[in-house]
Amino acid sequence: MSGIPPGPAGRAAVLCGVGGRLPERIVSNAELSARLETTDEWITTRTGIRNRRAAAPGEATSDLAVEAGRQALRAAGGEPADTVLVATATPDRRCPATAPLVAARLGLTGAAAFDVSAVCTGFVYGLATAAGLIATGVSERVLLIGADVYSSIVDPADRTNAIIFGDGAGAVVLRAGTPGEPGAIGHFDLGSDGDAEDAIIIAAGGSRSPVTEHTPRAERHFAMRGKEVYRHAVLRMTASSRATLAAAGWRPEDVDHLVAHQANLRILHSVADATGISRDRCVRHLVDVGNTGAASIPLALGHAHDTGALVPGDRVLLTGFGGGLTWGSCALRWPDLSPGTGRRSTGGKDPR
Ligand code: COA
């Protein structure tokens, strides 16, 4: 892709396809209880999670991302994307980014391709990036994939984190359309707080602290201050959701689906309660797949779409939170994604 034309007026990024990929292997609470000092009851009551998926040995983030991306492109009608974004905290390698490899494996060599690094908020940041690229005319069609293989960074002996995280990839395709049409992505709220950098961290392995033979095991793995993260997650996703609702002109009771980062069922319910959204509007995919990092929101969207929960015209509020700390939200009306509508979406529900 070359040349950056001036932004044509009245353009918006419109969601026109979803896809997802989960690794085959299911890791149940019973399996974790057999090898870690924990129980199904502890995990279920504290997190709501019953199962998660684990990548096979050698199965990397790009492997899941390619399959999720392929599915989303097919669902969107099969047209190639000119831009590929991969939101991930577990890139295949520290250098280079994973997105160019994913693009090449999808037959999209030549597309603009880069990673979005905002940990579990990466997908929402990626949506905002895609929206900007399309609104300014830089991109026409963006494939955005959230993909993470947390099993590659979580210490399998760490009972607090091993129970929470799962592996997976979710993807959406965004095409150039017009603001206000169903599927148009808008009304973003994004934020960060780097003072709490060490609340979610892999301490070693970057330029600050390269790994040496003296690096302690704990610093090579993902670490999280659970209680603090819990508090921040509720506060930040609530404030961000409220800001996005205000920007969209929606009341809490207008929201048909709250698709929050699938961190912990208690967090989802607390955010819903504090925002004034009924708990039964929460999409709960984490019960089956755990916290899949940047993949959690697109996988939850795909799950809700596949099960028929998402109806064209539904008002959907996305909200994410993750390491950085970072957070972000966005609002959209669900488009008609039935076969054949990938290029032009039409809402099927009366506007409220
Ligand atoms: N099984 C049994 N006991 C466990 C356990 C497990 N898997 N993990 C921790 N414990 C223990 C702790 O060691 C602690 O024991 P102690 O009281 O003897 O010291 C006790 O349970 C309470 O630990 P605590 O960390 O206070 O539990 P919690 O109620 O805060 O729940 C989390 C822990 C991780 C589930 C919770 O803090 C959480 O969900 N945090 C947010 C995580 C998240 O969503 N991260 C992603 C954001 S992107």
Side-chain angles (χ1 to χ4, degrees), residues 37-39 42-43 46-47 120 159-161 163-165 200 224-227 229-230 233 261 263-264 266-267 291 321-323:
E37 219 178 299
T38 190
T39 61
W42 196 97
I43 301 170
R46 300 288 177 123
T47 70
C120 297
R159 67 175 178 173
T160 308
N161 289 314
I163 61 155
I164 294 175
F165 289 96
I200 295 174
M224 176 172 69
R225 293 200 296 271
K227 272 202 189 314
V229 168
Y230 189 107
H261 171 48
N264 177 319
R266 291 187 298 146
I267 293 178
N291 177 347
F321 173 83

PDB file of all heavy atoms in Angstrom, residues 37-39 42-43 46-47 120 159-161 163-165 200 224-227 229-230 233 261 263-264 266-267 291 321-323, ligand 1:
ATOM      1  N   GLU A  37      -2.318 -26.645  43.499  1.00  0.00           N
ATOM      2  CA  GLU A  37      -3.074 -26.591  44.748  1.00  0.00           C
ATOM      3  C   GLU A  37      -4.274 -25.665  44.579  1.00  0.00           C
ATOM      4  O   GLU A  37      -4.220 -24.480  44.952  1.00  0.00           O
ATOM      5  CB  GLU A  37      -2.152 -26.063  45.851  1.00  0.00           C
ATOM      6  CG  GLU A  37      -2.349 -26.753  47.174  1.00  0.00           C
ATOM      7  CD  GLU A  37      -1.377 -26.216  48.204  1.00  0.00           C
ATOM      8  OE1 GLU A  37      -0.154 -26.346  47.976  1.00  0.00           O
ATOM      9  OE2 GLU A  37      -1.842 -25.620  49.175  1.00  0.00           O
ATOM     10  N   THR A  38      -5.307 -26.200  43.956  1.00  0.00           N
ATOM     11  CA  THR A  38      -6.532 -25.418  43.747  1.00  0.00           C
ATOM     12  C   THR A  38      -7.693 -26.377  43.597  1.00  0.00           C
ATOM     13  O   THR A  38      -7.497 -27.602  43.581  1.00  0.00           O
ATOM     14  CB  THR A  38      -6.398 -24.496  42.512  1.00  0.00           C
ATOM     15  OG1 THR A  38      -7.494 -23.601  42.470  1.00  0.00           O
ATOM     16  CG2 THR A  38      -6.311 -25.282  41.221  1.00  0.00           C
ATOM     17  N   THR A  39      -8.897 -25.834  43.498  1.00  0.00           N
ATOM     18  CA  THR A  39     -10.081 -26.685  43.344  1.00  0.00           C
ATOM     19  C   THR A  39     -11.016 -26.072  42.310  1.00  0.00           C
ATOM     20  O   THR A  39     -10.979 -24.857  42.056  1.00  0.00           O
ATOM     21  CB  THR A  39     -10.873 -26.789  44.669  1.00  0.00           C
ATOM     22  OG1 THR A  39     -11.296 -25.458  45.029  1.00  0.00           O
ATOM     23  CG2 THR A  39     -10.039 -27.394  45.788  1.00  0.00           C
ATOM     24  N   TRP A  42     -12.974 -23.315  44.002  1.00  0.00           N
ATOM     25  CA  TRP A  42     -12.263 -22.034  44.166  1.00  0.00           C
ATOM     26  C   TRP A  42     -12.248 -21.270  42.845  1.00  0.00           C
ATOM     27  O   TRP A  42     -12.581 -20.085  42.782  1.00  0.00           O
ATOM     28  CB  TRP A  42     -10.824 -22.275  44.651  1.00  0.00           C
ATOM     29  CG  TRP A  42     -10.170 -21.037  45.198  1.00  0.00           C
ATOM     30  CD1 TRP A  42     -10.080 -20.671  46.499  1.00  0.00           C
ATOM     31  CD2 TRP A  42      -9.522 -19.979  44.445  1.00  0.00           C
ATOM     32  NE1 TRP A  42      -9.436 -19.460  46.627  1.00  0.00           N
ATOM     33  CE2 TRP A  42      -9.078 -19.013  45.375  1.00  0.00           C
ATOM     34  CE3 TRP A  42      -9.286 -19.754  43.096  1.00  0.00           C
ATOM     35  CZ2 TRP A  42      -8.401 -17.853  44.991  1.00  0.00           C
ATOM     36  CZ3 TRP A  42      -8.631 -18.589  42.707  1.00  0.00           C
ATOM     37  CH2 TRP A  42      -8.187 -17.660  43.656  1.00  0.00           C
ATOM     38  N   ILE A  43     -11.907 -21.988  41.775  1.00  0.00           N
ATOM     39  CA  ILE A  43     -11.783 -21.299  40.474  1.00  0.00           C
ATOM     40  C   ILE A  43     -13.151 -20.781  40.017  1.00  0.00           C
ATOM     41  O   ILE A  43     -13.289 -19.634  39.575  1.00  0.00           O
ATOM     42  CB  ILE A  43     -11.195 -22.255  39.399  1.00  0.00           C
ATOM     43  CG1 ILE A  43      -9.824 -22.769  39.820  1.00  0.00           C
ATOM     44  CG2 ILE A  43     -11.113 -21.548  38.054  1.00  0.00           C
ATOM     45  CD1 ILE A  43      -9.273 -23.898  38.946  1.00  0.00           C
ATOM     46  N   ARG A  46     -14.386 -17.810  42.301  1.00  0.00           N
ATOM     47  CA  ARG A  46     -13.592 -16.570  42.202  1.00  0.00           C
ATOM     48  C   ARG A  46     -13.574 -15.967  40.810  1.00  0.00           C
ATOM     49  O   ARG A  46     -13.364 -14.779  40.657  1.00  0.00           O
ATOM     50  CB  ARG A  46     -12.132 -16.834  42.600  1.00  0.00           C
ATOM     51  CG  ARG A  46     -11.919 -17.348  43.993  1.00  0.00           C
ATOM     52  CD  ARG A  46     -12.158 -16.272  45.030  1.00  0.00           C
ATOM     53  NE  ARG A  46     -12.022 -16.814  46.361  1.00  0.00           N
ATOM     54  CZ  ARG A  46     -11.180 -16.366  47.279  1.00  0.00           C
ATOM     55  NH1 ARG A  46     -10.413 -15.334  47.010  1.00  0.00           N
ATOM     56  NH2 ARG A  46     -11.126 -16.924  48.464  1.00  0.00           N
ATOM     57  N   THR A  47     -13.719 -16.827  39.770  1.00  0.00           N
ATOM     58  CA  THR A  47     -13.539 -16.302  38.413  1.00  0.00           C
ATOM     59  C   THR A  47     -14.695 -16.602  37.460  1.00  0.00           C
ATOM     60  O   THR A  47     -14.838 -15.929  36.439  1.00  0.00           O
ATOM     61  CB  THR A  47     -12.264 -16.894  37.745  1.00  0.00           C
ATOM     62  OG1 THR A  47     -12.493 -18.283  37.470  1.00  0.00           O
ATOM     63  CG2 THR A  47     -11.050 -16.763  38.642  1.00  0.00           C
ATOM     64  N   CYS A 120      -4.336  -6.706  27.070  1.00  0.00           N
ATOM     65  CA  CYS A 120      -5.718  -7.176  26.867  1.00  0.00           C
ATOM     66  C   CYS A 120      -6.628  -6.119  26.267  1.00  0.00           C
ATOM     67  O   CYS A 120      -7.742  -6.421  25.847  1.00  0.00           O
ATOM     68  CB  CYS A 120      -6.294  -7.704  28.175  1.00  0.00           C
ATOM     69  SG  CYS A 120      -5.399  -9.130  28.794  1.00  0.00           S
ATOM     70  N   ARG A 159      -0.406 -20.972  40.269  1.00  0.00           N
ATOM     71  CA  ARG A 159      -1.827 -21.335  40.323  1.00  0.00           C
ATOM     72  C   ARG A 159      -2.750 -20.133  40.107  1.00  0.00           C
ATOM     73  O   ARG A 159      -3.869 -20.290  39.633  1.00  0.00           O
ATOM     74  CB  ARG A 159      -2.166 -22.030  41.640  1.00  0.00           C
ATOM     75  CG  ARG A 159      -2.050 -21.147  42.856  1.00  0.00           C
ATOM     76  CD  ARG A 159      -2.515 -21.874  44.106  1.00  0.00           C
ATOM     77  NE  ARG A 159      -2.338 -21.024  45.275  1.00  0.00           N
ATOM     78  CZ  ARG A 159      -2.759 -21.322  46.477  1.00  0.00           C
ATOM     79  NH1 ARG A 159      -3.344 -22.490  46.683  1.00  0.00           N
ATOM     80  NH2 ARG A 159      -2.563 -20.498  47.482  1.00  0.00           N
ATOM     81  N   THR A 160      -2.288 -18.937  40.480  1.00  0.00           N
ATOM     82  CA  THR A 160      -3.176 -17.776  40.328  1.00  0.00           C
ATOM     83  C   THR A 160      -3.406 -17.442  38.854  1.00  0.00           C
ATOM     84  O   THR A 160      -4.536 -17.167  38.439  1.00  0.00           O
ATOM     85  CB  THR A 160      -2.588 -16.544  41.041  1.00  0.00           C
ATOM     86  OG1 THR A 160      -2.267 -16.922  42.375  1.00  0.00           O
ATOM     87  CG2 THR A 160      -3.583 -15.407  41.092  1.00  0.00           C
ATOM     88  N   ASN A 161      -2.340 -17.464  38.055  1.00  0.00           N
ATOM     89  CA  ASN A 161      -2.495 -17.086  36.647  1.00  0.00           C
ATOM     90  C   ASN A 161      -2.866 -18.260  35.746  1.00  0.00           C
ATOM     91  O   ASN A 161      -3.576 -18.073  34.752  1.00  0.00           O
ATOM     92  CB  ASN A 161      -1.225 -16.398  36.149  1.00  0.00           C
ATOM     93  CG  ASN A 161      -1.078 -15.021  36.763  1.00  0.00           C
ATOM     94  OD1 ASN A 161      -2.041 -14.259  36.806  1.00  0.00           O
ATOM     95  ND2 ASN A 161       0.109 -14.705  37.264  1.00  0.00           N
ATOM     96  N   ILE A 163      -4.903 -20.562  36.180  1.00  0.00           N
ATOM     97  CA  ILE A 163      -6.347 -20.855  36.155  1.00  0.00           C
ATOM     98  C   ILE A 163      -7.132 -19.854  35.314  1.00  0.00           C
ATOM     99  O   ILE A 163      -8.238 -20.129  34.881  1.00  0.00           O
ATOM    100  CB  ILE A 163      -6.942 -20.862  37.585  1.00  0.00           C
ATOM    101  CG1 ILE A 163      -6.753 -19.472  38.233  1.00  0.00           C
ATOM    102  CG2 ILE A 163      -6.328 -21.963  38.440  1.00  0.00           C
ATOM    103  CD1 ILE A 163      -7.754 -19.182  39.309  1.00  0.00           C
ATOM    104  N   ILE A 164      -6.550 -18.679  35.118  1.00  0.00           N
ATOM    105  CA  ILE A 164      -7.291 -17.587  34.474  1.00  0.00           C
ATOM    106  C   ILE A 164      -7.163 -17.610  32.955  1.00  0.00           C
ATOM    107  O   ILE A 164      -8.145 -17.436  32.231  1.00  0.00           O
ATOM    108  CB  ILE A 164      -6.783 -16.218  34.992  1.00  0.00           C
ATOM    109  CG1 ILE A 164      -7.124 -16.056  36.480  1.00  0.00           C
ATOM    110  CG2 ILE A 164      -7.359 -15.072  34.186  1.00  0.00           C
ATOM    111  CD1 ILE A 164      -6.550 -14.796  37.094  1.00  0.00           C
ATOM    112  N   PHE A 165      -5.911 -17.795  32.491  1.00  0.00           N
ATOM    113  CA  PHE A 165      -5.654 -17.506  31.081  1.00  0.00           C
ATOM    114  C   PHE A 165      -5.834 -18.713  30.165  1.00  0.00           C
ATOM    115  O   PHE A 165      -5.567 -19.851  30.555  1.00  0.00           O
ATOM    116  CB  PHE A 165      -4.243 -16.933  30.917  1.00  0.00           C
ATOM    117  CG  PHE A 165      -4.135 -15.538  31.456  1.00  0.00           C
ATOM    118  CD1 PHE A 165      -3.669 -15.309  32.737  1.00  0.00           C
ATOM    119  CD2 PHE A 165      -4.548 -14.457  30.702  1.00  0.00           C
ATOM    120  CE1 PHE A 165      -3.592 -14.033  33.258  1.00  0.00           C
ATOM    121  CE2 PHE A 165      -4.484 -13.166  31.211  1.00  0.00           C
ATOM    122  CZ  PHE A 165      -4.004 -12.951  32.488  1.00  0.00           C
ATOM    123  N   ILE A 200       0.866  -5.568  35.965  1.00  0.00           N
ATOM    124  CA  ILE A 200       0.772  -6.683  35.014  1.00  0.00           C
ATOM    125  C   ILE A 200       2.072  -6.628  34.217  1.00  0.00           C
ATOM    126  O   ILE A 200       2.286  -5.674  33.461  1.00  0.00           O
ATOM    127  CB  ILE A 200      -0.438  -6.517  34.068  1.00  0.00           C
ATOM    128  CG1 ILE A 200      -1.756  -6.585  34.847  1.00  0.00           C
ATOM    129  CG2 ILE A 200      -0.403  -7.562  32.972  1.00  0.00           C
ATOM    130  CD1 ILE A 200      -2.998  -6.291  34.000  1.00  0.00           C
ATOM    131  N   MET A 224       1.172 -10.800  37.923  1.00  0.00           N
ATOM    132  CA  MET A 224       0.044  -9.860  38.061  1.00  0.00           C
ATOM    133  C   MET A 224      -0.293  -9.703  39.540  1.00  0.00           C
ATOM    134  O   MET A 224      -0.325 -10.696  40.272  1.00  0.00           O
ATOM    135  CB  MET A 224      -1.155 -10.441  37.302  1.00  0.00           C
ATOM    136  CG  MET A 224      -2.420  -9.658  37.428  1.00  0.00           C
ATOM    137  SD  MET A 224      -3.704 -10.292  36.317  1.00  0.00           S
ATOM    138  CE  MET A 224      -4.052 -11.872  37.077  1.00  0.00           C
ATOM    139  N   ARG A 225      -0.558  -8.457  39.947  1.00  0.00           N
ATOM    140  CA  ARG A 225      -1.066  -8.241  41.306  1.00  0.00           C
ATOM    141  C   ARG A 225      -2.592  -8.282  41.229  1.00  0.00           C
ATOM    142  O   ARG A 225      -3.249  -7.281  40.925  1.00  0.00           O
ATOM    143  CB  ARG A 225      -0.566  -6.904  41.853  1.00  0.00           C
ATOM    144  CG  ARG A 225       0.955  -6.901  42.079  1.00  0.00           C
ATOM    145  CD  ARG A 225       1.376  -5.813  43.043  1.00  0.00           C
ATOM    146  NE  ARG A 225       1.127  -4.469  42.555  1.00  0.00           N
ATOM    147  CZ  ARG A 225       1.990  -3.748  41.830  1.00  0.00           C
ATOM    148  NH1 ARG A 225       3.182  -4.248  41.534  1.00  0.00           N
ATOM    149  NH2 ARG A 225       1.684  -2.527  41.442  1.00  0.00           N
ATOM    150  N   GLY A 226      -3.108  -9.496  41.483  1.00  0.00           N
ATOM    151  CA  GLY A 226      -4.507  -9.807  41.189  1.00  0.00           C
ATOM    152  C   GLY A 226      -5.524  -8.853  41.776  1.00  0.00           C
ATOM    153  O   GLY A 226      -6.407  -8.364  41.065  1.00  0.00           O
ATOM    154  N   LYS A 227      -5.398  -8.592  43.079  1.00  0.00           N
ATOM    155  CA  LYS A 227      -6.422  -7.757  43.734  1.00  0.00           C
ATOM    156  C   LYS A 227      -6.427  -6.342  43.177  1.00  0.00           C
ATOM    157  O   LYS A 227      -7.475  -5.746  42.942  1.00  0.00           O
ATOM    158  CB  LYS A 227      -6.156  -7.713  45.241  1.00  0.00           C
ATOM    159  CG  LYS A 227      -6.825  -8.851  45.983  1.00  0.00           C
ATOM    160  CD  LYS A 227      -6.993  -8.499  47.443  1.00  0.00           C
ATOM    161  CE  LYS A 227      -7.458  -9.700  48.258  1.00  0.00           C
ATOM    162  NZ  LYS A 227      -8.562 -10.439  47.638  1.00  0.00           N
ATOM    163  N   VAL A 229      -5.284  -5.360  40.251  1.00  0.00           N
ATOM    164  CA  VAL A 229      -5.762  -5.389  38.866  1.00  0.00           C
ATOM    165  C   VAL A 229      -7.282  -5.482  38.838  1.00  0.00           C
ATOM    166  O   VAL A 229      -7.953  -4.809  38.040  1.00  0.00           O
ATOM    167  CB  VAL A 229      -5.114  -6.582  38.110  1.00  0.00           C
ATOM    168  CG1 VAL A 229      -5.801  -6.823  36.776  1.00  0.00           C
ATOM    169  CG2 VAL A 229      -3.629  -6.325  37.900  1.00  0.00           C
ATOM    170  N   TYR A 230      -7.808  -6.288  39.711  1.00  0.00           N
ATOM    171  CA  TYR A 230      -9.264  -6.441  39.819  1.00  0.00           C
ATOM    172  C   TYR A 230      -9.932  -5.079  40.042  1.00  0.00           C
ATOM    173  O   TYR A 230     -10.877  -4.704  39.335  1.00  0.00           O
ATOM    174  CB  TYR A 230      -9.563  -7.390  40.981  1.00  0.00           C
ATOM    175  CG  TYR A 230     -10.997  -7.840  41.107  1.00  0.00           C
ATOM    176  CD1 TYR A 230     -11.361  -9.137  40.779  1.00  0.00           C
ATOM    177  CD2 TYR A 230     -11.982  -6.985  41.586  1.00  0.00           C
ATOM    178  CE1 TYR A 230     -12.674  -9.559  40.909  1.00  0.00           C
ATOM    179  CE2 TYR A 230     -13.290  -7.396  41.714  1.00  0.00           C
ATOM    180  CZ  TYR A 230     -13.635  -8.685  41.382  1.00  0.00           C
ATOM    181  OH  TYR A 230     -14.926  -9.097  41.518  1.00  0.00           O
ATOM    182  N   ALA A 233      -9.562  -2.836  37.043  1.00  0.00           N
ATOM    183  CA  ALA A 233     -10.370  -3.310  35.908  1.00  0.00           C
ATOM    184  C   ALA A 233     -11.809  -2.826  36.055  1.00  0.00           C
ATOM    185  O   ALA A 233     -12.413  -2.326  35.099  1.00  0.00           O
ATOM    186  CB  ALA A 233     -10.314  -4.839  35.820  1.00  0.00           C
ATOM    187  N   HIS A 261     -14.034  -7.160  28.254  1.00  0.00           N
ATOM    188  CA  HIS A 261     -12.881  -8.063  28.282  1.00  0.00           C
ATOM    189  C   HIS A 261     -13.184  -9.194  29.262  1.00  0.00           C
ATOM    190  O   HIS A 261     -13.571  -8.957  30.412  1.00  0.00           O
ATOM    191  CB  HIS A 261     -11.630  -7.290  28.709  1.00  0.00           C
ATOM    192  CG  HIS A 261     -10.465  -8.187  28.965  1.00  0.00           C
ATOM    193  ND1 HIS A 261     -10.077  -9.178  28.090  1.00  0.00           N
ATOM    194  CD2 HIS A 261      -9.618  -8.265  30.022  1.00  0.00           C
ATOM    195  CE1 HIS A 261      -9.033  -9.813  28.581  1.00  0.00           C
ATOM    196  NE2 HIS A 261      -8.743  -9.293  29.755  1.00  0.00           N
ATOM    197  N   ALA A 263     -12.272 -11.125  31.647  1.00  0.00           N
ATOM    198  CA  ALA A 263     -11.229 -11.331  32.648  1.00  0.00           C
ATOM    199  C   ALA A 263     -11.713 -12.234  33.775  1.00  0.00           C
ATOM    200  O   ALA A 263     -10.994 -13.138  34.207  1.00  0.00           O
ATOM    201  CB  ALA A 263     -10.792  -9.982  33.211  1.00  0.00           C
ATOM    202  N   ASN A 264     -12.911 -11.977  34.244  1.00  0.00           N
ATOM    203  CA  ASN A 264     -13.390 -12.620  35.456  1.00  0.00           C
ATOM    204  C   ASN A 264     -14.883 -12.294  35.533  1.00  0.00           C
ATOM    205  O   ASN A 264     -15.266 -11.130  35.352  1.00  0.00           O
ATOM    206  CB  ASN A 264     -12.615 -12.015  36.649  1.00  0.00           C
ATOM    207  CG  ASN A 264     -13.061 -12.534  37.981  1.00  0.00           C
ATOM    208  OD1 ASN A 264     -14.244 -12.703  38.243  1.00  0.00           O
ATOM    209  ND2 ASN A 264     -12.094 -12.774  38.857  1.00  0.00           N
ATOM    210  N   ARG A 266     -16.887 -12.024  37.939  1.00  0.00           N
ATOM    211  CA  ARG A 266     -17.252 -11.042  38.978  1.00  0.00           C
ATOM    212  C   ARG A 266     -16.927  -9.627  38.494  1.00  0.00           C
ATOM    213  O   ARG A 266     -17.634  -8.668  38.807  1.00  0.00           O
ATOM    214  CB  ARG A 266     -16.519 -11.362  40.286  1.00  0.00           C
ATOM    215  CG  ARG A 266     -17.025 -12.657  40.940  1.00  0.00           C
ATOM    216  CD  ARG A 266     -16.407 -12.838  42.310  1.00  0.00           C
ATOM    217  NE  ARG A 266     -14.966 -12.949  42.227  1.00  0.00           N
ATOM    218  CZ  ARG A 266     -14.107 -12.501  43.139  1.00  0.00           C
ATOM    219  NH1 ARG A 266     -14.538 -11.864  44.200  1.00  0.00           N
ATOM    220  NH2 ARG A 266     -12.810 -12.669  42.984  1.00  0.00           N
ATOM    221  N   ILE A 267     -15.832  -9.494  37.739  1.00  0.00           N
ATOM    222  CA  ILE A 267     -15.488  -8.175  37.182  1.00  0.00           C
ATOM    223  C   ILE A 267     -16.576  -7.739  36.190  1.00  0.00           C
ATOM    224  O   ILE A 267     -17.054  -6.597  36.234  1.00  0.00           O
ATOM    225  CB  ILE A 267     -14.096  -8.199  36.498  1.00  0.00           C
ATOM    226  CG1 ILE A 267     -12.997  -8.417  37.542  1.00  0.00           C
ATOM    227  CG2 ILE A 267     -13.853  -6.922  35.690  1.00  0.00           C
ATOM    228  CD1 ILE A 267     -11.585  -8.507  36.970  1.00  0.00           C
ATOM    229  N   ASN A 291      -9.630 -16.233  30.159  1.00  0.00           N
ATOM    230  CA  ASN A 291      -9.198 -14.918  29.678  1.00  0.00           C
ATOM    231  C   ASN A 291      -8.196 -15.136  28.546  1.00  0.00           C
ATOM    232  O   ASN A 291      -7.080 -15.593  28.788  1.00  0.00           O
ATOM    233  CB  ASN A 291      -8.564 -14.154  30.846  1.00  0.00           C
ATOM    234  CG  ASN A 291      -8.008 -12.795  30.438  1.00  0.00           C
ATOM    235  OD1 ASN A 291      -7.877 -12.498  29.260  1.00  0.00           O
ATOM    236  ND2 ASN A 291      -7.663 -11.986  31.422  1.00  0.00           N
ATOM    237  N   PHE A 321      -9.762  -3.848  29.172  1.00  0.00           N
ATOM    238  CA  PHE A 321      -8.809  -3.398  30.189  1.00  0.00           C
ATOM    239  C   PHE A 321      -7.614  -4.344  30.148  1.00  0.00           C
ATOM    240  O   PHE A 321      -7.785  -5.536  29.930  1.00  0.00           O
ATOM    241  CB  PHE A 321      -9.457  -3.452  31.581  1.00  0.00           C
ATOM    242  CG  PHE A 321      -8.475  -3.174  32.681  1.00  0.00           C
ATOM    243  CD1 PHE A 321      -8.161  -1.870  33.029  1.00  0.00           C
ATOM    244  CD2 PHE A 321      -7.820  -4.220  33.327  1.00  0.00           C
ATOM    245  CE1 PHE A 321      -7.218  -1.613  34.014  1.00  0.00           C
ATOM    246  CE2 PHE A 321      -6.887  -3.971  34.314  1.00  0.00           C
ATOM    247  CZ  PHE A 321      -6.581  -2.664  34.657  1.00  0.00           C
ATOM    248  N   GLY A 322      -6.412  -3.795  30.382  1.00  0.00           N
ATOM    249  CA  GLY A 322      -5.255  -4.687  30.376  1.00  0.00           C
ATOM    250  C   GLY A 322      -4.002  -4.028  30.906  1.00  0.00           C
ATOM    251  O   GLY A 322      -4.024  -2.899  31.426  1.00  0.00           O
ATOM    252  N   GLY A 323      -2.916  -4.747  30.757  1.00  0.00           N
ATOM    253  CA  GLY A 323      -1.620  -4.275  31.220  1.00  0.00           C
ATOM    254  C   GLY A 323      -1.267  -2.952  30.568  1.00  0.00           C
ATOM    255  O   GLY A 323      -1.761  -2.582  29.506  1.00  0.00           O
TER     256      GLY A 323
HETATM  257  N1  COA B   1      -6.614 -21.772  44.134  1.00  0.00           N
HETATM  258  C1  COA B   1      -6.712 -21.691  45.468  1.00  0.00           C
HETATM  259  N2  COA B   1      -6.258 -20.646  46.170  1.00  0.00           N
HETATM  260  C2  COA B   1      -5.667 -19.646  45.486  1.00  0.00           C
HETATM  261  C3  COA B   1      -5.536 -19.669  44.089  1.00  0.00           C
HETATM  262  C4  COA B   1      -6.027 -20.795  43.413  1.00  0.00           C
HETATM  263  N3  COA B   1      -5.967 -20.914  42.079  1.00  0.00           N
HETATM  264  N4  COA B   1      -4.926 -18.539  43.681  1.00  0.00           N
HETATM  265  C5  COA B   1      -4.686 -17.811  44.776  1.00  0.00           C
HETATM  266  N5  COA B   1      -5.133 -18.501  45.875  1.00  0.00           N
HETATM  267  C6  COA B   1      -5.084 -18.093  47.264  1.00  0.00           C
HETATM  268  C7  COA B   1      -4.041 -17.054  47.551  1.00  0.00           C
HETATM  269  O1  COA B   1      -2.779 -17.632  47.735  1.00  0.00           O
HETATM  270  C8  COA B   1      -4.586 -16.427  48.818  1.00  0.00           C
HETATM  271  O2  COA B   1      -4.248 -17.237  49.898  1.00  0.00           O
HETATM  272  P1  COA B   1      -3.878 -16.581  51.323  1.00  0.00           P
HETATM  273  O3  COA B   1      -5.116 -15.838  51.744  1.00  0.00           O
HETATM  274  O4  COA B   1      -3.570 -17.758  52.150  1.00  0.00           O
HETATM  275  O5  COA B   1      -2.716 -15.685  51.053  1.00  0.00           O
HETATM  276  C9  COA B   1      -6.108 -16.526  48.631  1.00  0.00           C
HETATM  277  O6  COA B   1      -6.327 -17.523  47.626  1.00  0.00           O
HETATM  278  C10 COA B   1      -6.725 -15.234  48.185  1.00  0.00           C
HETATM  279  O7  COA B   1      -5.938 -14.747  47.112  1.00  0.00           O
HETATM  280  P2  COA B   1      -6.302 -13.463  46.366  1.00  0.00           P
HETATM  281  O8  COA B   1      -5.290 -13.164  45.304  1.00  0.00           O
HETATM  282  O9  COA B   1      -6.582 -12.406  47.390  1.00  0.00           O
HETATM  283  O10 COA B   1      -7.678 -13.930  45.692  1.00  0.00           O
HETATM  284  P3  COA B   1      -8.727 -13.086  44.925  1.00  0.00           P
HETATM  285  O11 COA B   1     -10.046 -13.289  45.511  1.00  0.00           O
HETATM  286  O12 COA B   1      -8.253 -11.690  44.667  1.00  0.00           O
HETATM  287  O13 COA B   1      -8.762 -13.807  43.497  1.00  0.00           O
HETATM  288  C11 COA B   1      -7.906 -13.508  41.302  1.00  0.00           C
HETATM  289  C12 COA B   1      -7.589 -13.880  42.732  1.00  0.00           C
HETATM  290  C13 COA B   1      -6.627 -13.536  40.495  1.00  0.00           C
HETATM  291  C14 COA B   1      -8.920 -14.517  40.739  1.00  0.00           C
HETATM  292  C15 COA B   1      -8.522 -12.088  41.295  1.00  0.00           C
HETATM  293  O14 COA B   1      -7.693 -11.206  42.027  1.00  0.00           O
HETATM  294  C16 COA B   1      -8.705 -11.558  39.940  1.00  0.00           C
HETATM  295  O15 COA B   1      -9.523 -12.056  39.199  1.00  0.00           O
HETATM  296  N6  COA B   1      -7.965 -10.486  39.589  1.00  0.00           N
HETATM  297  C17 COA B   1      -8.070  -9.882  38.282  1.00  0.00           C
HETATM  298  C18 COA B   1      -7.364 -10.740  37.315  1.00  0.00           C
HETATM  299  C19 COA B   1      -7.623 -10.348  35.913  1.00  0.00           C
HETATM  300  O16 COA B   1      -8.746 -10.255  35.517  1.00  0.00           O
HETATM  301  N7  COA B   1      -6.567 -10.101  35.171  1.00  0.00           N
HETATM  302  C20 COA B   1      -6.620  -9.788  33.794  1.00  0.00           C
HETATM  303  C21 COA B   1      -6.798  -8.344  33.601  1.00  0.00           C
HETATM  304  S1  COA B   1      -6.367  -7.985  31.959  1.00  0.00           S
END
